[in-house]
Amino acid sequence: MCGIVGYVGGRPCRDILFRGLRKLEYRGYDSAGISLIHKGRFDLLHSVGNLDRLESVLHQMENGSTVGIAHTRWATHGRPSNENAHPHTDCSGRFAIVLNGIVENYLALRAELEVEGHSFTSETDAEVVAHLLERSYDGSLREAVAAAFQRMEGHFTFVAVTIEEPETIVAVRKETPLVVGLGEGEYFVASAVSAFLAETRTVIFPDDAELVVVTRGGVEVTTMDGLAVEHAPEVVDWDEDAAEKGGYETFMLKEIHEQPVALADTLSQRMSRDGLVCLDGLGITDDEIRALQQVVIVACGTSYHAGLVGKYALERWARLPVEIDVASEFRYRDPVMGPNTLCIAISQSGETADTLAAMRAARTAGARILAITNIVGSQVTREAHGVLFTRAGLEIGVAATKTFLTQVLAVQLLSLYMGQVRETVALDKVRALTDELRHIPTLLNSYLDSGPAADIERVAAAYAKNRFFLYLGRNIGLPVALEGALKLKEISYIPTESYAAGEMKHGPIALLEDGSPVVVVATDSHVYDKLVSNVQEVKARGAHVIAVASEGNVGASVMADEVFYVPAVDEMLSPLLGVVPLQLFAYYAAKANGESVDQPRNLAKTVTVE
Ligand code: M6R
């Protein structure tokens, strides 16, 4: 996440940059900063908190400079603080950078630079870039950026300036956004068009690993080897609102499409080169993990569904008894737990009142507490013994999508890690699974790029007027069915029932009549044949079956009226792909019914009341 913007031109740019940040605030707002080149030196301003805080101190900075870079941060490495806020500078104070993304090998780079005598002032991964520039600069910022880029692993965009070349900005990207705005004698670089849409609509979109050199004279794009690259300028006709959504019609749709990057970010640095899971800084020691006798998971809503995936994964890989409860119930129980109980509290916001209360109850009962959250510095992180962060970036749509997927990934990583430590899962199995996990962001990206939405939209529109949907799944497919049903009811207000498929015959089957839509999570698994029998039972009552199935399952189209195929993966990892068509299905059903997808009635993104 994070938003970055840079300017070179003829106008004083302090306020231009600030207005750009305002448009990028949705990308993060825990701290912010601006760096201007003024009279041969850097003028730097940082503040902790949202952009109102930066605005309140903006007057401390002169507005004379015509070259600058700015950043609004969503913390990944290092808590929100002035030291960790961007722009970051090198030891000599000649280079400043802003970065969006993650530099995966920053620890190795930092160690290398420290040995050479560089001293660091922040905990961030980004600061290494300023020192890499300082080390390699030999009269050309473009070449220094190229040298730094070639040493960096991960996915990131960064923008660099130096007082040695006070009229130049250099930017480069790798798997994260960068757009260049072409104005009249002035140029912009940013994470999104919205940052400069009020100034110009003419843009170019550089590709990965291209160097973008911006001066008052124009924009030059080259390869790393210095060969010129031509990008035909495009004129964007988005309105400002659409621009903040990156061209998507809603934040929810944008966030569904951000899931591959969110998964890649959450995986980053959590698998060692030899294919094992490494969760450094978990706050729960390996000895404590070995001594565990029980795990209790508490969460609400979508986070509870991610917790259910954790129950299956922990039982299978860590061989521990796992109990799970919704936090609002758990908090008023009298749970039996002790020092060898681990309570895992899952909350994307980290502020949900029920989840916090459940954590406190578990702590009072003697358990160790591990929080899984998306928000650095949130309340759960203050009250837990340990924290495992998801790195989904800021989620604006009220219906959780990318935070769910990253929670699922986090519980899977945690379960594998605990299995590794407890020696309850073979290391070869861990390696096989981490190898699959490594490829899932790419698989999901290709899936989304292959355009499943058109077919899903067609089916959703055909069924959207139905007043009831039954969702079924078994085993690891059950949380996916529960989550798919919650998404549909949250944003389309269509009543849904979600059930373990084998339990359906004990009651819910009475709801079915001719034409009732039944959504079935039928990805490959060891209970697939059992599920097929349950599907036959609903078909015998005249239901219309919409199935999510693994690619290559030729029988699925015989069993179901409509099939959404997803790439086949290990059954324990299948929720990472299987839930995506159901998110899209809910989305298009709500749209077909004309509902407000990003702000459904009666709901709030963060539920801080009991
Ligand atoms: O912030 P949390 O993960 O603790 O939030 C829990 C639920 O309120 C949340 O998942 C809710 O169900 C969402 N609206 C789901 O889309």
Side-chain angles (χ1 to χ4, degrees):
M1 243 355 218
C2 303
I4 57 187
V5 57
Y7 174 90
V8 182
R11 293 188 284 161
C13 65
R14 182 196 70 186
D15 298 344
I16 295 172
L17 290 170
F18 182 76
R19 285 197 295 274
L21 288 184
R22 271 281 185 223
K23 294 293 178 188
L24 299 176
E25 194 169 12
Y26 69 92
R27 300 179 65 86
Y29 44 74
D30 58 45
S31 54
I34 297 184
S35 175
L36 304 176
I37 298 186
H38 199 49
K39 297 179 183 160
R41 60 175 185 81
F42 283 126
D43 204 358
L44 269 165
L45 188 67
H46 291 136
S47 73
V48 179
N50 65 18
L51 290 174
D52 292 344
R53 302 281 289 277
L54 185 67
E55 189 170 30
S56 69
V57 292
L58 205 55
H59 62 272
Q60 294 173 9
M61 188 175 224
E62 252 185 77
N63 189 21
S65 169
T66 57
V67 181
I69 56 177
H71 187 272
T72 183
R73 182 169 185 244
W74 189 86
T76 58
H77 296 65
R79 74 207 145 81
S81 67
N82 269 320
E83 293 71 33
N84 291 332
H86 299 216
H88 290 291
T89 51
D90 67 310
C91 311
S92 68
R94 291 178 302 144
F95 300 89
I97 65 99
V98 287
L99 181 139
N100 163 36
I102 293 180
V103 185
E104 291 184 355
N105 60 336
Y106 83 102
L107 283 175
L109 291 173
R110 181 170 174 146
E112 182 183 313
L113 287 156
E114 280 175 339
V115 167
E116 291 173 16
H118 291 262
S119 62
F120 283 72
T121 54
S122 79
E123 305 159 278
T124 66
D125 52 341
E127 192 186 340
V128 293
V129 183
H131 297 276
L132 285 172
L133 297 178
E134 177 186 11
R135 175 166 81 179
S136 57
Y137 186 78
D138 191 16
S140 162
L141 183 60
R142 191 186 72 77
E143 282 171 22
V145 167
F149 180 86
Q150 275 151 353
R151 291 299 317 279
M152 293 161 63
E153 292 167 17
H155 40 282
F156 47 78
T157 296
F158 72 87
V159 183
V161 285
T162 173
I163 54 171
E164 306 288 348
E165 299 171 47
E167 301 242 305
T168 303
I169 282 183
V170 182
V172 66
R173 56 165 273 178
K174 186 180 176 200
E175 296 165 27
T176 50
L178 172 64
V179 58
V180 183
L182 313 176
E184 292 287 322
E186 60 182 8
Y187 302 92
F188 305 80
V189 293
S191 305
V193 178
S194 52
F196 53 72
L197 202 60
E199 315 293 344
T200 181
R201 286 172 178 271
T202 309
V203 303
I204 58 175
F205 293 100
D207 288 327
D208 280 355
E210 290 179 350
L211 295 162
V212 180
V213 181
V214 185
T215 63
R216 279 187 71 174
V219 177
E220 279 177 13
V221 183
T222 66
T223 62
M224 287 288 144
D225 300 329
L227 298 174
V229 178
E230 287 300 324
H231 285 283
E234 300 174 36
V235 177
V236 293
D237 56 3
W238 305 341
D239 59 24
E240 288 198 28
D241 188 38
E244 280 175 30
K245 294 173 190 147
Y248 291 99
E249 56 195 1
T250 61
F251 281 110
M252 182 178 172
L253 195 58
K254 173 169 171 273
E255 286 156 5
I256 289 173
H257 282 84
E258 283 172 348
Q259 293 183 115
V261 170
L263 289 179
D265 282 352
T266 302
L267 271 177
S268 175
Q269 292 179 306
R270 285 173 170 161
M271 291 184 299
S272 62
R273 284 188 195 283
D274 61 353
L276 299 183
V277 179
C278 44
L279 297 180
D280 298 335
L282 199 57
I284 309 288
T285 66
D286 286 358
D287 282 343
E288 284 169 339
I289 289 173
R290 282 185 205 99
L292 286 177
Q293 288 171 352
Q294 178 197 20
V295 174
V296 173
I297 302 174
V298 291
C300 304
T302 286
S303 299
Y304 172 80
H305 300 152
L308 268 178
V309 174
K311 175 179 166 68
Y312 288 96
L314 281 161
E315 282 176 355
R316 178 164 302 185
W317 295 326
R319 304 300 300 142
L320 278 161
V322 183
E323 193 204 320
I324 176 163
D325 204 354
V326 288
S328 54
E329 281 301 309
F330 182 87
R331 62 185 292 187
Y332 292 115
R333 283 172 41 194
D334 192 3
V336 181
M337 10 174 70
N340 294 331
T341 302
L342 177 67
C343 171
I344 303 175
I346 308 176
S347 170
Q348 72 80 21
S349 63
E351 304 290 345
T352 299
D354 286 323
T355 307
L356 283 162
M359 274 172 67
R360 289 172 196 141
R363 199 174 176 133
T364 307
R368 299 286 292 168
I369 315 291
L370 177 69
I372 296 181
T373 185
N374 198 41
I375 305 294
V376 175
S378 60
Q379 193 58 28
V380 296
T381 67
R382 293 171 217 272
E383 299 195 23
H385 296 105
V387 183
L388 178 57
F389 285 105
T390 54
R391 300 186 191 124
L394 195 68
E395 188 173 71
I396 292 177
V398 168
T401 52
K402 60 178 181 169
T403 52
F404 173 68
L405 229 58
T406 55
Q407 287 170 341
V408 167
L409 176 59
V411 293
Q412 288 167 334
L413 286 171
L414 179 66
S415 308
L416 275 176
Y417 181 72
M418 286 172 55
Q420 232 172 253
V421 172
R422 294 168 59 80
E423 298 181 21
T424 47
V425 57
L427 293 187
D428 281 352
K429 180 70 184 169
V430 177
R431 289 193 179 97
L433 287 163
T434 56
D435 193 45
E436 278 212 59
L437 279 174
R438 228 183 275 278
H439 291 100
I440 280 186
T442 315
L443 272 184
L444 183 54
N445 208 18
S446 315
Y447 169 73
L448 288 166
D449 279 356
S450 71
D455 193 38
I456 295 172
E457 184 170 14
R458 173 188 62 77
V459 179
Y463 284 89
K465 292 294 172 227
N466 280 275
R467 291 323 300 159
F468 171 71
F469 280 72
L470 178 63
Y471 280 67
L472 299 176
R474 288 194 89 134
N475 200 262
I476 198 75
L478 177 59
V480 178
L482 292 167
E483 177 58 10
L486 178 64
K487 288 287 91 81
L488 188 70
K489 74 174 72 132
E490 274 188 306
I491 59 172
S492 72
Y493 319 134
I494 301 172
T496 62
E497 183 76 271
S498 39
Y499 248 76
E503 182 69 6
M504 172 209 46
K505 57 186 175 290
H506 299 290
I509 198 165
L511 294 166
L512 298 181
E513 51 193 36
D514 223 19
S516 299
V518 177
V519 179
V520 182
V521 179
T523 40
D524 292 352
S525 80
H526 69 290
V527 290
Y528 179 77
D529 291 342
K530 304 283 171 204
L531 184 89
V532 171
S533 305
N534 303 137
V535 174
Q536 298 310 331
E537 290 158 12
V538 304
K539 283 183 68 155
R541 271 86 192 166
H544 283 189
V545 175
I546 302 165
V548 177
S550 305
E551 274 166 12
N553 177 349
V554 284
S557 60
V558 180
M559 169 182 80
D561 298 276
E562 302 284 353
V563 186
F564 303 141
Y565 286 102
V566 291
V569 291
D570 184 283
E571 69 173 285
M572 294 300 284
L573 309 184
S574 61
L576 293 170
L577 293 151
V579 78
V580 179
L582 298 186
Q583 296 168 339
L584 289 167
F585 182 74
Y587 178 81
Y588 286 114
K591 223 188 107 191
N593 290 344
E595 308 297 357
S596 160
V597 170
D598 281 336
Q599 286 159 342
R601 70 183 182 211
N602 304 339
L603 295 176
K605 188 72 190 159
T606 306
V607 185
T608 53
V609 292
E610 185 176 349

